[in-house]
Each structure stands twice: as C-alpha cells, then as structure tokens.
Amino acid sequence: RPFRAVVGLCGGLPGEWTEPTPGTAASGAAHALHVSTDADEFYALDRVAPFAALLSSRFASARHEVHAGGHRVPSTAIPVVRAFLEEHG
C-alpha cells in the first residue's frame, strides 16, 4: 500500500537528490513535510535551503519549515506535524 505522507525532522535528504526531478508514482501522490532548525550543527541553513524545491519536485505537495533550535526536534514543530498528519496522513 503506498504511503500518503512523509515527515522529515532535523536531517537531510538522500544524497543523490541534487536537482529537482520527478519522483516515483507513489511519491508523486504523497505529501511531504520537512522541519529543519536554524542552528543545526549538522544541517546548516545553506545546506537545507534547496530542500523545498527538491521535495516539491517529487511529492504532490511539499513544505519545508525552519524552526528555532539546534539538531533536535523543536517543540514548536509538534503541532505543525500533528496538523500535517491530520490533513494528509
């Protein structure tokens, strides 16, 4: 059964995703949310800057949000993730 939604929290995308390109039929029907933080020591803002375009090219809808904090799941993201999953999950 195909997935309907994917959530990424404080991390990266697959390394081969260097350019916006179409994904699979399954990902093209799914929705994506990625949450980054503004002080992540592993994923700096310049490294996550292309995430919105990369995700948008592969998923039916995509959102990339940057919250305050380091390399951790920010508490401000919890209601965002909940609402996203209620809508798409």
Side-chain angles (χ1 to χ4, degrees):
R1 180 175 137 170
F3 58 94
R4 296 184 309 199
V6 62
V7 175
L9 299 167
C10 301
L13 298 178
E16 65 271 13
W17 290 12
T18 57
E19 296 292 325
T21 55
T24 65
S27 66
H31 305 274
L33 168 67
H34 194 286
V35 174
S36 297
T37 55
D38 61 0
D40 190 319
E41 60 270 29
F42 301 103
Y43 294 94
L45 290 176
D46 62 331
R47 187 170 177 191
V48 302
F51 284 11
L54 294 172
L55 292 167
S56 293
S57 69
R58 289 168 170 80
F59 293 93
S61 73
R63 209 161 90 211
H64 179 234
E65 294 194 3
V66 177
H67 292 248
H71 188 70
R72 60 170 178 70
V73 177
S75 58
T76 57
I78 293 170
V80 173
V81 171
R82 236 185 227 131
F84 174 82
L85 290 174
E86 285 176 10
E87 182 177 353
H88 300 293

